[in-house]
Amino acid sequence: MEWRKNKYITSGKQYMKDKKYADAKIQLMRAVAMDPHWSEAQFQLGLASAGTKEFPRAYRAFQNAVVADSKNIKAMQEMATLELINRRYEDAKANADKILGIDPNNSRAQETLAYALAGLGDLSGSEGELETLVEHDPGQVAASLNLARLKLREQDKAGAEKILLNGATKAPSAASWTLLGNLYLLEARPADAEEAYKKAIALEPKNSK
């Protein structure tokens, strides 16, 4: 029986890799039917169900994965992501807190927590989480952008520039330099904007055509 379970999940993962989510779901449902308490199989079924855009089914599978293994961080994160999408901010925050209780350096969970706090109206708490995140990992472009937006909302243009410049310098990417260029344009600093855009183009010249 064990070999058959493994066969189903291996086949399901291969279908997932090939983006054949419906076929993957069939194989993973067979694995789960044989062992409903197999956390990894439930998690993979959740991913396959999300791939076929059956999000309620995906959420239930992720829940089952966590019931089977209370430390399945991957499943908790997928639950939190779906909760954010559905504006269930308290639930997303609770799952992010659980993940950080297990893995305090989990950057994705910290970002989720920041967005959940923003959804709950705690902008200062959200800003604090984003600041910690980008301080530890300047390459978090989305987090840097959202933190810069919060700074701009507070009319702190210097703070927004510092965040974006830090990210672009320490973890160079076309996206970070482009965002900085956009900020310079808003501040009527065309020369600085031009330099930032040049650096973005140098990193990804194909996107400039």
Side-chain angles (χ1 to χ4, degrees):
M1 296 291 287
E2 195 71 24
W3 68 267
R4 187 171 293 175
K5 286 195 315 181
N6 291 327
K7 177 184 176 183
Y8 287 144
I9 196 169
T10 300
S11 177
K13 286 181 177 180
Q14 184 58 52
Y15 279 128
M16 289 277 288
K17 187 177 179 181
D18 296 336
K19 298 184 179 180
K20 296 180 178 179
Y21 301 115
D23 292 326
K25 193 174 65 175
I26 292 170
Q27 296 301 310
L28 294 164
M29 286 176 69
R30 288 171 177 166
V32 166
M34 293 186 70
D35 185 355
H37 304 294
W38 189 2
S39 184
E40 179 63 14
Q42 291 281 8
F43 172 68
Q44 293 295 333
L45 177 58
L47 293 179
S49 298
T52 57
K53 303 189 185 304
E54 296 174 88
F55 298 113
R57 182 194 288 270
Y59 188 83
R60 288 194 299 272
F62 294 137
Q63 275 186 314
N64 291 336
V66 175
V67 169
D69 178 4
S70 62
K71 293 186 178 180
N72 190 328
I73 287 176
K74 297 182 296 182
M76 277 185 256
Q77 181 59 63
E78 295 301 331
M79 285 176 65
T81 299
L82 290 173
E83 286 157 356
L84 280 181
I85 291 170
N86 289 286
R87 300 184 181 183
R88 292 169 52 186
Y89 300 121
E90 286 284 3
D91 292 333
K93 178 181 180 298
N95 270 311
D97 282 334
K98 286 178 186 176
I99 295 169
L100 291 169
I102 299 169
D103 178 9
N105 297 317
N106 190 299
S107 60
R108 189 177 172 194
Q110 193 164 17
E111 188 173 9
T112 298
L113 177 58
Y115 298 150
L117 289 171
L120 291 167
D122 184 0
L123 296 182
S124 63
S126 177
E127 185 174 338
E129 292 296 333
L130 288 173
E131 283 179 340
T132 301
L133 177 60
V134 299
E135 181 181 341
H136 291 157
D137 185 1
Q140 293 279 349
V141 176
S144 294
L145 172 59
N146 285 305
L147 179 55
R149 282 174 174 163
L150 286 174
K151 294 292 185 184
L152 289 172
R153 185 171 180 169
E154 298 166 356
Q155 301 300 311
D156 184 3
K157 292 183 179 180
E161 179 184 354
K162 181 180 178 181
I163 290 159
L164 293 174
L165 184 59
N166 183 57
T169 303
K170 292 185 177 180
S173 70
S176 58
W177 281 111
T178 298
L179 293 173
L180 188 58
N182 293 344
L183 176 62
Y184 287 145
L185 279 183
L186 289 173
E187 292 185 318
R189 295 164 58 183
D192 290 332
E194 183 180 356
E195 286 302 312
Y197 290 143
K198 284 180 179 178
K199 289 177 179 178
I201 291 170
L203 288 166
E204 289 190 14
K206 63 180 181 296
N207 290 337
S208 67
K209 296 179 181 179

